[in-house]
């Protein structure tokens, strides 16, 4: 079977060694400049442009044509998108699916709404890859991945939520209060793929402990963890240490956010995806 796995760039996963895998970039507009979320983007230059600019900024999703181009000539395509609650990426992928299958009878595109972003997408992509490697047929691998999605969680811990407020994802009043009170917010991607604010803390240690306790509240029990951070590797490592102190030698992947997740998580933020028990 010839298959391809494609993700939009909100996964922060730009390469899988030995796997037929691609990413399709989301975009950040800073004034008139379009920053594509790709593996080779200059993150220092992006941050300098973003935080020195006083005007309007925004994000945009891949177009159906960008998705369609990424499919190439694969017989079977698996697409992973950021939650439909934050972006039109899923709708674009579904349009591309219809166009591809219409022009290539007998081929199939499976579109998977992650109902999340970043680390949770990585967990799902790796799970699908393992299902296919173990001989699962495309339909079975797709359905098992949807089941697995329900057994994963996503939390984010942010020092600022101004960008989320500008995008209409959280209340501007709450965002302003967070800044004035020097609070760190803990949010969760809920089962509908939208954001719930589930905790607030003042101070580094309390925030880390609050994040870990929220993982436990969501039935984390020592499964695989993926942490994406925006210039806060220390917090990612310290959270990993808390996890391993309780659960032992847990598989934990730590990496930087790309520009889309960096834009919304802002400096110092980190996002945690994890397997959980049901």
């Amino acid at each position: 079977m010839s298959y391809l796995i494609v993700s939009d760039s909100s996964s922060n996963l730009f390469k899988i060694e030995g796997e037929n895998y691609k990413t399709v970039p989301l975009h950040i507009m800073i004034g008139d400049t379009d920053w594509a979320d790709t593996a080779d983007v200059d993150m220092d230059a992006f941050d300098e442009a973003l935080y020195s600019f006083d005007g309007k900024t925004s994000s945009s999703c891949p177009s159906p044509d960008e998705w369609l181009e990424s499919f190439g000539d694969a017989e079977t395509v698996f697409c992973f998108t950021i939650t439909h609650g934050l972006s039109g990426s899923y709708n674009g992928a579904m349009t591309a699916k219809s166009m591809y299958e219409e022009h290539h009878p007998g081929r199939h595109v499976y579109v998977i709404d992650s109902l999340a972003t970043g680390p949770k997408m990585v967990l799902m992509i790796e799970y699908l890859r393992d299902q296919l490697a173990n001989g699962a047929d495309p339909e079975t691998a797709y359905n098992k991945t949807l089941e697995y999605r329900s057994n994963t969680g996503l939390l984010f811990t942010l020092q600022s939520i101004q960008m989320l407020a500008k995008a209409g994802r959280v209340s501007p009043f709450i965002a302003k209060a967070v800044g004035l009170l020097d609070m760190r917010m803990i949010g969760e991607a809920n089962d509908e793929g939208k954001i719930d604010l589930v905790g607030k803390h003042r101070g580094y240690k309390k925030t880390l402990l609050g994040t870990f306790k929220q993982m436990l509240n969501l039935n984390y029990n020592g499964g695989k963890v993926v942490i994406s951070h925006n210039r806060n590797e220390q917090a990612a490592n310290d959270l990993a240490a808390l996890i391993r102190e309780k659960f032992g030698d847990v598989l934990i992947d730590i990496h930087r956010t790309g520009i889309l997740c960096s834009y919304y998580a802002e400096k110092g933020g980190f996002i945690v995806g994890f397997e959980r028990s049901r």
Side-chain angles (χ1 to χ4, degrees):
M1 175 187 65
S2 168
Y3 71 85
L4 169 70
I5 302 173
V6 185
S7 167
D8 69 40
S9 61
S10 70
S11 66
N12 307 307
L13 182 65
F14 297 98
K15 183 178 181 180
I16 302 177
E17 205 64 47
E19 189 60 72
N20 191 17
Y21 172 79
K22 295 180 181 178
T23 57
V24 181
L26 289 103
H27 300 260
I28 301 295
M29 294 297 300
I30 303 176
D32 295 328
T33 303
D34 183 346
W35 291 78
D37 191 4
T38 60
D40 58 354
V41 69
D42 185 333
M43 291 299 300
D44 290 335
F46 172 75
D47 280 350
E48 173 64 25
L50 178 62
Y51 291 106
S52 64
F53 184 70
D54 291 331
K56 182 180 178 181
T57 62
S58 61
S59 61
S60 64
C61 62
S63 68
D65 286 341
E66 288 177 293
W67 278 111
L68 191 62
E69 183 179 356
S70 76
F71 296 166
D73 196 38
E75 294 177 10
T76 304
V77 182
F78 298 92
C79 286
F80 290 84
T81 76
I82 187 174
T83 174
H84 70 278
L86 291 178
S87 169
S89 185
Y90 174 76
N91 291 333
M94 288 298 291
T95 300
K97 163 187 166 69
S98 297
M99 296 165 65
Y100 192 76
E101 291 176 350
E102 180 180 350
H103 287 92
H104 300 283
R107 298 183 185 181
H108 198 79
V109 179
Y110 296 89
V111 181
I112 300 170
D113 181 349
S114 71
L115 299 178
T117 189
K120 181 166 176 172
M121 294 173 71
V122 174
L123 290 172
M124 295 173 65
I125 290 166
E126 291 179 345
Y127 181 85
L128 173 75
R129 174 201 62 191
D130 293 345
Q131 289 294 309
L132 295 170
N134 289 331
D137 62 83
E139 191 73 20
T140 298
Y142 167 72
N143 287 323
K144 282 185 172 291
T145 301
L146 292 180
E147 292 174 10
Y148 178 74
R149 178 179 65 187
S150 299
N151 296 326
T152 59
L154 186 87
L155 293 172
F156 54 89
T157 299
L158 309 180
Q159 296 185 24
S160 169
I161 54 175
Q162 292 298 324
M163 296 301 183
L164 285 173
K166 287 181 180 179
R169 310 308 180 195
V170 298
S171 163
F173 175 79
I174 293 175
K176 184 176 181 180
V178 167
L180 291 174
L181 298 174
D182 191 28
M183 303 294 291
R184 272 71 168 172
M185 304 302 294
I186 300 174
E188 176 192 356
N190 65 29
D191 291 340
E192 287 74 44
K194 297 182 180 180
I195 292 173
D196 290 334
L197 295 178
V198 294
K200 55 183 182 296
H201 300 276
R202 184 180 286 115
Y204 180 77
K205 290 184 179 180
K206 289 182 179 179
T207 301
L208 275 183
L209 286 172
T211 304
F212 183 47
K213 287 179 180 178
Q214 189 61 29
M215 290 175 66
L216 299 178
N217 290 342
L218 294 171
N219 297 323
Y220 177 70
N221 194 32
K224 186 188 299 186
V225 177
V226 179
I227 306 173
S228 300
H229 67 90
N230 184 0
R231 299 187 183 276
N232 199 352
E233 187 173 6
Q234 183 65 55
N237 287 329
D238 288 345
L239 179 60
L242 284 175
I243 293 168
R244 288 179 171 136
E245 181 180 352
K246 182 172 179 63
F247 293 105
D249 191 19
V250 175
L251 180 59
I252 302 176
D253 171 30
I254 296 174
H255 56 256
R256 272 292 310 270
T257 50
I259 66 170
L260 189 283
C261 285
S262 293
Y263 176 74
Y264 284 110
E266 302 188 53
K267 286 183 180 178
F270 59 93
I271 314 170
V272 188
F274 52 94
E275 296 177 334
R276 57 180 177 173
S277 302
R278 281 289 190 177

